[in-house]
Amino acid sequence: MKSTLIDKNRTYGLLEKYKLVRKWTESICSPLQIEDYVVQPIEDVSPPKWHLGHTTWFFETFVLAPFFPGYKPYDAKFDYVFNSYYETVGSRIIRTDRGNLSRPSVSEVYQYRQYIDSHIKQLFGDTSADNALLDILELGINHEQQHQELLYMDIKYILGHNPLFPAYSHKPVFDEIEVSEGKKLRFSAGIHWIGFESDNFCFDNELGRHQVYLDAFEIAPYPVSNADFMEFIKDGGYHDFRLWHAAGWDWVNRNSAKAPLYWQFVDGQWMQYGLNGLQEIILKEPVCHVNYYEAAAFAAWKGERLPTEAEWEVASEQIKWGHRWEWTESAYLPYPGFKKAPGAIGEYNGKFMVNQMVLRGASVATPKGHSRKTYRNFFQTDQRWQFAGIRLAKEI
Amino acid sequence: MKSTLIDKNRTYGLLEKYKLVRKWTESICSPLQIEDYVVQPIEDVSPPKWHLGHTTWFFETFVLAPFFPGYKPYDAKFDYVFNSYYETVGSRIIRTDRGNLSRPSVSEVYQYRQYIDSHIKQLFGDTSADNALLDILELGINHEQQHQELLYMDIKYILGHNPLFPAYSHKPVFDEIEVSEGKKLRFSAGIHWIGFESDNFCFDNELGRHQVYLDAFEIAPYPVSNADFMEFIKDGGYHDFRLWHAAGWDWVNRNSAKAPLYWQFVDGQWMQYGLNGLQEIILKEPVCHVNYYEAAAFAAWKGERLPTEAEWEVASEQIKWGHRWEWTESAYLPYPGFKKAPGAIGEYNGKFMVNQMVLRGASVATPKGHSRKTYRNFFQTDQRWQFAGIRLAKEI
Amino acid sequence: MKSTLIDKNRTYGLLEKYKLVRKWTESICSPLQIEDYVVQPIEDVSPPKWHLGHTTWFFETFVLAPFFPGYKPYDAKFDYVFNSYYETVGSRIIRTDRGNLSRPSVSEVYQYRQYIDSHIKQLFGDTSADNALLDILELGINHEQQHQELLYMDIKYILGHNPLFPAYSHKPVFDEIEVSEGKKLRFSAGIHWIGFESDNFCFDNELGRHQVYLDAFEIAPYPVSNADFMEFIKDGGYHDFRLWHAAGWDWVNRNSAKAPLYWQFVDGQWMQYGLNGLQEIILKEPVCHVNYYEAAAFAAWKGERLPTEAEWEVASEQIKWGHRWEWTESAYLPYPGFKKAPGAIGEYNGKFMVNQMVLRGASVATPKGHSRKTYRNFFQTDQRWQFAGIRLAKEI
Amino acid sequence: MKSTLIDKNRTYGLLEKYKLVRKWTESICSPLQIEDYVVQPIEDVSPPKWHLGHTTWFFETFVLAPFFPGYKPYDAKFDYVFNSYYETVGSRIIRTDRGNLSRPSVSEVYQYRQYIDSHIKQLFGDTSADNALLDILELGINHEQQHQELLYMDIKYILGHNPLFPAYSHKPVFDEIEVSEGKKLRFSAGIHWIGFESDNFCFDNELGRHQVYLDAFEIAPYPVSNADFMEFIKDGGYHDFRLWHAAGWDWVNRNSAKAPLYWQFVDGQWMQYGLNGLQEIILKEPVCHVNYYEAAAFAAWKGERLPTEAEWEVASEQIKWGHRWEWTESAYLPYPGFKKAPGAIGEYNGKFMVNQMVLRGASVATPKGHSRKTYRNFFQTDQRWQFAGIRLAKEI
């Protein structure tokens, strides 16, 4: 971590970043109708209004309340409404109840944002801050960037599960790539360093940087395409238990799973809901919205496997990544030397290190500047609403 | 039922009533914010937006589609979104999903209402209609009046379960009464006629009119007050299993029930959420928002019982009623000679005649002109969000 | 109720009956293997071992503990294991857990029975008892007879849901009848007395005897046959929502119901599991193991309805009954003047008077001497494991 | 894997082992009463009768059916009853239903065992077999040994959750140790080989043998004692969310967890159910029956962590192990080069490699000769009925 000296340039830079990030969050929401801000169709998906409030609450609770002299909370009850999971900070609304709250209204949430923004500008605008405080501000900014991706995920879920299939936008929202076949990349056996290494920001779970021994392996230069995955479906992949984990096979049967999330079989053809509405599937794009079970079953069908997160990181500079989060064969566990921060901030990552799998890379929905090769994303094995795809690897 | 002759006066009268009722529904919603129209905190409570659409869909489906020459539906998908439970009419969104739908938007639902209203006015405005069609129109009007009461119930639930306890209005919404003690009214044993008797509108479940033999009984002239019910609580009513049905006792324990819905114990005092916000309990008002189990347990604590629906109807002209729906000791079952109408309209009442109890009277939230002494309301035994209270009776 | 005078003949008679009934319970269990005594495949079905113990516990708790001078309980923990639902008497094992108990063993339960039997014989054998005590003894005997029928029901469920379909016996267990068509019996409108009337034993729910007014009705002399019900199935009865209550239709879909319980479609033919094993359905026998929803749907398909319990009782001397419990159109509610006994005995019937329907008559599994025309049996509307059938009625 | 040559000595040795192992399974069950063989108190716990049948079915299905000339199955329906999870082999009874089956009876299951045993002896007794067949026989023997430990686990659960707390035996069943403090063992950083290496039997999940890089670490020579764990309880360990994973904290609250499984607070003192009945806790014995969440929370409370499975294996020759399965910080995932066997045997381990944690070592309930340092046991993170304890480690 950084020293606690006063740092003028860093203060200025972070405040500028703060303003840009806060504005971008609101840009993401600008095409929404008021009604879209409110609903929570499943427990994992939060109402957009809640994201707007929760990211703001983070700055209020961890920056303003302790550091702004004489700070007066916007509304004491918001603590209860917008806390997500910080046990340290007090009781909170249970996650499944977020979609029951019509109030505070959307416009009041925007007022809350303005109130916090103006205090943050006041706190950091006319003076420089010490590094300990700037560390929390920077964490808050990165936290809000994570929720920007969650906003895209949740908006897509809300609109994509509405029987009217409304479009979020009529213009392209994301930059996509075309998958090429490409030759497998080969890496020989040996010791590698992995984990974050620099003075810049990273999440606690990217540390400590440490060595791993890897056997020789090969890895695909591109993620798996929609065309590839359609082959898997046509070949009966969702009907062959031998390809699946036992828990995955249960998931298939309980949900009658037949295709990735948002795929719809309409009049004899596979269509896909995207933020532009229901459209034909583009075969050359990377497959999206598969869970770990589907990713692992696809790899088994190919006679290959998913890369480990260490393999992925070692190969990262030679592969094409950034359009889909990529499931790995690595469970989300602490690195050697991992340390939790004291207090509520320590709840950020460590307490989730069980029964989830690591995803590496970034997706089209990840904010610019928020990705790096050491970033460790994680989801439960049955979740599909994130922009997740598949990359293949195997031992040589 | 009525003949199918053309009836000019009836056409005119019903169209005027249609306009008033449709307008009143929108008046009820006028204090809401857009967000309040959308949420569904529990399965029983529907989003106000859904009520606005569903009552409209009823006129579209049962009046316009079959009888308006060349009628063009507003949006074919609304059939799926706004059907409540009519199996005859096709598939429908499951009840627990209504609160997941941000679209159609509130303003689009209002446009839908206008579209239907203008067609209804066109259909009935310039000519007279035959009685069979008018019967359906009249049913639709009464159906919408039922949903007006549901709107009050659901709005109260939505706002009253929000941690901010927002007020629906700052002016009194309902006319309340003060409960007086009053002497018990006595009725001697004998045969009585019950059920609807006139040419006016009634629901199918109020027929056939028939005779019942009643033993001598006495009945209270007023419903039970908040003060009475507070005595029950203080005397440990919620902790004494002997007062409860077995299923009621399970309900108490599963829900840690301690008081009627909307009662809150704040700083050593019982408060009550009402449409004006969280306020002190007015002791002389009739108790409200109790379920059948609570009503029956209260009566057992008093050494009395609830009246049967026949007793209630026989006594109805001598008791003070109309401020609370009153739980009776009668299960909701068909009267002798009950007949279902053919087709979807036949699904209106008959298919619910099992495992529910009859409530008689009307409540402060019942639209004017929608109550009568033969009206049979019904709810499941654990439901409390309706404006229901208690009246005592016993054998002599 | 009876006076509390000493009654020598009654004492002698009841003790003789006690011995016969206790012995018959054990006869019912005699074909079982030890393993059959232990399992509880669904919550409603109790392990036979539990019935043996619970009926014994009833005598220990309500007769011996209070009335046998210096009585020493067989095992203090049995109170916890064998209490069924008497809240007054203390905590009890939850119903879903009964099948988890391998101990006390079957042989120990039989020892417990002997211990209680010998104390009962000692208490009543050498002297006469007062009527208050004899009333409890008589209730205990009737209680055990009710569990004799439950034993048949539960044994049938346990063996009939085993994939090996073992037979309980290779000889006929019950006397069956053949259904005849017969002419409908007609009753004209008027006032009738119903409810129990004599000095003999009855359950509290058969009182008070009271008058009812009935419209004219007709009723079938025989219950509905398997052949009749097969017509209903062939005509698509389980696929036509118009015949069903809304809750019944949910039940059909949730359970993919296609036929009565124990019917199996094997190699193109309907078979039926009975206590003699899996066998061909005998078309002329009364249909069995249908729930209220199925009974009501069948009646709707015929354009008729189920009789009310008052109609049934009025007609009882002119119809053929006793082979199936017959679902009625009457909810299980207290009669006018119904009184609960004080203490635990008062929990016997009254607390179940909600959300159940009355069945009248008796079945092939009902012990001899345990049926009468005023007997009010009751089950929840979705239950099918009792020996229940259908009789048709309608208004004239 | 081994070649397919004929091997006479191996045939003889395995048959002898087969006989011993089969006999030992029955010895474990010998103190049971018939009733104990039948019940299934929770889904994870199978009836002992089922274990006896399932292990037998394994030999019938994978050895006799394919290799015994003209083999005639004991009972075709047993395939359905005793298949556990092999999708390849056909449909099977769902796991939660095993405790509903009173038949086949215990004595019939023992007859089934004899039938299979006599065929196995015939198949392997008079001739030598090829190695491919011997491999399956050996797998079956090891499979039965795994079920021997499951038998102890399940019997303990069945008797230990009975309100009568019956003892399985009145003599000591297991050899226990006393935990000593001991000095931490230190290992410097470097590359190590892990995984199975020899021609003897191992499970597929112990392969391929491969290299790992480990940072320097220290590890405790003994597992954590009951006294240590009691300190954790006294210090409020079950009430401090900071020590727990988020999922662990949910588990604590949902289950009101306060102590390891089988601990009971009786009259102001912690007691523990063991196979000898309810007894005082022996402070010096290793703590037992904790789940992964509890193990990790305990380690966090100590400021340490659990070892990884690689650290454990590297240290294994210098630590005292074998009395408790030891939770590690490693998720159960395939080793580099892991291969599933073709067919049903391939379902043995691989399909469970998700959302479980590895346990290393062995327990007092593990059969003699069934443990080795490379053995990878695995359970879900909330399970406690296995004989699992805790060992501490940390980075240096």
Side-chain angles (χ1 to χ4, degrees), chain B residues 141-190:
Chain B
I141 292 166
N142 277 274
H143 173 254
E144 180 139 351
Q145 288 181 304
Q146 293 184 307
H147 280 273
Q148 288 171 351
E149 179 149 2
L150 283 165
L151 271 166
Y152 279 125
M153 289 158 59
D154 292 357
I155 290 167
K156 185 169 181 178
Y157 196 97
I158 289 166
L159 301 180
H161 285 79
N162 188 298
L164 308 177
F165 294 121
Y168 164 79
S169 166
H170 295 292
K171 285 181 291 187
V173 178
F174 300 131
D175 290 334
E176 285 290 358
I177 47 157
E178 291 202 349
V179 169
S180 301
E181 274 302 309
K183 206 161 150 276
K184 290 281 174 73
L185 303 161
R186 299 186 139 234
F187 294 81
S188 49

Side-chain angles (χ1 to χ4, degrees), chain C residues 98-127:
Chain C
R98 288 175 193 164
N100 299 339
L101 300 188
S102 59
R103 314 286 179 91
S105 67
V106 172
S107 85
E108 198 175 3
V109 172
Y110 276 112
Q111 281 166 40
Y112 177 42
R113 290 182 69 88
Q114 283 170 20
Y115 181 88
I116 299 307
D117 285 354
S118 89
H119 282 77
I120 288 283
K121 286 171 195 165
Q122 199 180 328
L123 179 60
F124 293 94
D126 44 2
T127 175

